[in-house]
Amino acid sequence: GAVVSQHPSRVICKSGTSVKIECRSLDFQATTMFWYRQFPKQSLMLMATSNEGSKATYEQGVEKDKFLINHASLTLSTLTVTSAHPEDSSFYICSARGTSGETQYFGPGTRLLVL
Amino acid sequence: SQKIEQNSEALNIQEGKTATLTCNYTNYSPAYLQWYRQDPGRGPVFLLLIRENEKEKRKERLKVTFDTTLKQSLFHITASQPADSATYLCALANTNAGKSTFGDGTTLTVKP
């Protein structure tokens, strides 16, 4: 149980384009989803927290207009990197938490490379 | 400010020995603490959760302790195997529905 998927696992795009990453909880309802980015050999950096049906709460320094988050259902959240630039290249990981309100279960991550 | 420190970036041990990883925190009153394993290029995988009123938790070869006086959690892997080699992250949450804050992780290498 508690499986979270992400799609795509890897994406390469040109500078200026937008990229959408999907995060799905496959066997539980995720009342809260989190989006992280991780640079090589560094820890997870929380970008935003989203609760189903409401606007995401962004961490300080994260541009909400650049990283659009939608959590329209209890099993799906999307992160759209708008007008991507090479500095947005990173490993993006989502996690989901169910109604128990404790453990976060992570997706396998999405490697984004912006050329 | 709140701070989470995990012992030494890297830990190397011989197969069969017990690996002990440390997670210390300051300016934090966690409701619970979690340990995750992360392999290169993959998302973290949940291992164990321990609550503030629990001293110890076990799962197979894993054992976690939580000392709220020392503000420290220890994560033990007994009879370690090369397959245990990975980065281990501790994460603290100060409320039952709050967001978790992650440490930088300790990379464990178990040599055959």
Side-chain angles (χ1 to χ4, degrees):
Chain A
V3 179
V4 177
S5 70
Q6 267 184 254
H7 178 81
S9 58
R10 185 184 293 266
V11 57
I12 301 173
C13 69
K14 291 182 180 178
S15 188
T17 60
S18 293
V19 174
K20 181 186 280 190
I21 303 170
E22 290 188 350
C23 177
R24 291 180 187 272
S25 57
L26 299 183
D27 52 1
F28 67 103
Q29 293 188 324
T31 50
T32 306
M33 285 186 167
F34 304 86
W35 286 96
Y36 295 83
R37 66 189 294 183
Q38 187 177 36
F39 292 105
K41 298 192 183 299
Q42 294 188 23
S43 189
L44 301 167
M45 187 194 86
L46 180 65
M47 299 174 68
T49 302
S50 75
N51 292 296
E52 184 264 338
S54 58
K55 288 184 179 179
T57 302
Y58 289 81
E59 294 298 302
Q60 194 172 9
V62 178
E63 298 175 57
K64 62 179 181 181
D65 294 329
K66 180 165 184 63
F67 298 100
L68 300 177
I69 292 172
N70 184 284
H71 190 169
S73 78
L74 284 172
T75 59
L76 173 64
S77 176
T78 60
L79 167 68
T80 301
V81 183
T82 62
S83 186
H85 289 98
E87 57 266 29
D88 298 324
S89 299
S90 189
F91 190 50
Y92 292 86
I93 315 174
C94 72
S95 71
R97 188 173 64 197
T99 52
S100 70
E102 291 182 334
T103 300
Q104 292 181 46
Y105 296 95
F106 284 84
T110 297
R111 176 78 57 193
L112 170 64
L113 177 61
V114 184
L115 302 176
Chain B
S1 61
Q2 295 175 337
K3 199 172 179 183
I4 300 173
E5 282 187 347
Q6 291 192 238
N7 67 319
S8 67
E9 238 177 75
L11 181 65
N12 299 313
I13 64 167
Q14 207 64 38
E15 182 176 10
K17 300 290 186 186
T18 296
T20 298
L21 285 67
T22 305
C23 178
N24 295 298
Y25 58 92
T26 54
N27 297 321
Y28 225 120
S29 296
Y32 57 91
L33 185 150
Q34 300 169 90
W35 283 90
Y36 289 82
R37 167 186 174 139
Q38 186 175 24
D39 290 283
R42 305 290 296 172
V45 173
F46 170 73
L47 296 174
L48 281 166
L49 179 150
I50 187 165
R51 296 182 179 82
E52 60 177 336
N53 59 349
E54 296 175 318
K55 297 281 187 198
E56 182 179 298
K57 212 100 179 259
R58 290 174 186 261
K59 180 182 174 184
E60 298 172 353
R61 294 185 296 113
L62 309 180
K63 183 178 87 170
V64 172
T65 62
F66 195 9
D67 189 326
T68 54
T69 302
L70 290 178
K71 297 186 183 299
Q72 180 183 78
S73 173
L74 299 179
F75 177 77
H76 306 275
I77 306 175
T78 58
S80 60
Q81 305 165 0
D84 295 326
S85 299
T87 295
Y88 291 86
L89 306 166
C90 72
L92 279 70
N94 57 6
T95 66
N96 284 332
K99 60 187 180 184
S100 292
T101 302
F102 285 79
D104 289 340
T106 297
T107 299
L108 172 68
T109 302
V110 181
K111 297 181 180 178

